[in-house]
């Protein structure tokens, strides 16, 4: 079988001469009766099809979150939900072409749940607002707010004693400090604001 590329209306369809093995959880490798693989790029996904003598054997959709990696110069490992395959190409050019298709797919923005429900400008304004040290100072000087958080954490010290605490959006780190006061074993304070390197 010859490798080749055909340009489609919505992407490219590339056929490769390959051998394919399925990897299982017990470190076992099973050679499959597959002689070719086609990769069809369609907008934000890639369809991978294994075939034998022109007949489709299996088809999978690759997205930006599909796990894959190189294995030596001619092989590529790709994992789908319940199956992992090792694909061995006939030459390095084919491996590189396949990597190029997948790297283009990786460029598609990985959208988190936060990004799906939040306008970019709104998120920028939010982080910018809380990124000002003066805003952090205002919150720390709000005695009722700060002391309520401290009291809640210290009154529930049993929930913190000897535990590992992750404070996401830590700001000034005051809640992390209260967690330490309550007996936390380790506290990780995570903050996205640009001033975090000062704290």
């Amino acid at each position: 079988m010859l490798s080749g590329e055909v340009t489609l209306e919505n992407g490219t369809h590339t056929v490769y001469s390959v051998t394919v093995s399925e990897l299982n959880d017990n470190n076992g490798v099973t050679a499959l009766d597959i002689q070719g693989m086609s990769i069809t790029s369609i907008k934000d996904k890639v369809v991978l099809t294994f075939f034998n003598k022109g007949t489709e054997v299996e088809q999978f959709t690759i997205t930006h979150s599909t796990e894959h990696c190189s294995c030596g110069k001619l092989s590529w490992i790709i994992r789908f939900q319940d199956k992992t395959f090792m694909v061995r190409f006939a030459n390095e050019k084919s491996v590189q072409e396949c990597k190029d298709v997948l790297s283009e797919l990786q460029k598609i923005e990985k959208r988190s749940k936060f990004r799906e429900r939040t306008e970019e400008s709104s998120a920028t304004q939010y982080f910018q607002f809380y990124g000002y040290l003066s805003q952090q100072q205002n919150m720390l000087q709000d005695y009722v707010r700060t002391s309520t958080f401290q009291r809640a954490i210290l009154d529930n010290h049993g929930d913190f004693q000897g535990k590992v605490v992750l404070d996401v959006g830590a700001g000034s780190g005051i809640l992390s400090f209260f967690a330490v006061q309550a007996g936390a074993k380790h506290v990780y304070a995570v903050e996205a604001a640009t001033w975090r390197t000062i704290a």
Side-chain angles (χ1 to χ4, degrees):
M1 168 179 286
L2 297 174
S3 297
E5 182 176 295
V6 178
T7 301
L8 301 175
E9 188 176 310
N10 57 0
T12 59
H13 176 74
T14 308
V15 179
Y16 299 101
S17 206
V18 295
T19 56
V20 180
S21 299
E22 186 172 353
L23 310 177
N24 63 42
D25 292 338
N26 301 329
N27 296 326
V29 179
T30 306
L32 301 177
D33 194 16
I34 293 172
Q35 298 171 335
M37 176 183 84
S38 70
I39 292 184
T40 307
S41 61
I42 306 168
K43 294 183 183 177
D44 62 345
K45 65 182 178 183
V46 171
V47 177
L48 181 144
T49 307
F50 292 134
F51 54 90
N52 185 15
K53 297 178 184 168
T55 304
E56 181 181 310
V57 177
E58 285 194 81
Q59 189 174 73
F60 302 94
T61 300
I62 303 173
T63 66
H64 66 269
S65 61
T66 303
E67 295 179 63
H68 60 88
C69 67
S70 297
C71 182
K73 289 185 177 182
L74 296 178
S75 296
W76 175 54
I77 295 176
I78 185 161
R79 179 179 179 177
F80 298 100
Q81 282 184 334
D82 58 344
K83 294 186 176 188
T84 303
F85 299 101
M86 181 162 61
V87 179
R88 183 164 176 82
F89 292 86
N91 55 56
E92 287 183 48
K93 182 179 181 251
S94 296
V95 174
Q96 190 56 51
E97 287 173 4
C98 189
K99 282 183 186 176
D100 291 346
V101 170
L102 293 174
S103 66
E104 284 300 312
L105 188 61
Q106 294 293 336
K107 290 178 186 176
I108 295 170
E109 184 179 354
K110 299 175 185 175
R111 297 195 60 83
S112 66
K113 292 291 182 192
F114 176 79
R115 288 192 185 277
E116 286 175 7
R117 62 179 165 75
T118 309
E119 286 184 33
E120 188 67 34
S121 61
S122 174
T124 302
Q125 287 177 338
Y126 174 86
F127 287 113
Q128 193 173 35
F129 178 77
Y130 285 104
Y132 292 118
L133 283 173
S134 60
Q135 186 58 33
Q136 296 296 318
Q137 181 181 2
N138 287 340
M139 289 189 291
L140 287 171
Q141 290 175 337
D142 181 344
Y143 176 78
V144 173
R145 178 184 177 279
T146 304
S147 63
T148 301
F149 277 123
Q150 183 181 33
R151 195 170 46 256
I153 291 171
L154 295 179
D155 286 352
N156 293 288
H157 62 87
D159 293 333
F160 293 86
Q161 199 84 37
K163 304 280 175 65
V164 175
V165 174
L166 174 63
D167 183 1
V168 178
S172 65
I174 191 68
L175 299 182
S176 300
F177 178 72
F178 294 156
V180 170
Q181 284 183 327
K185 180 176 154 184
H186 292 289
V187 177
Y188 297 95
V190 179
E191 176 54 51
T194 53
W195 57 265
R196 70 191 178 281
T197 53
I198 300 167

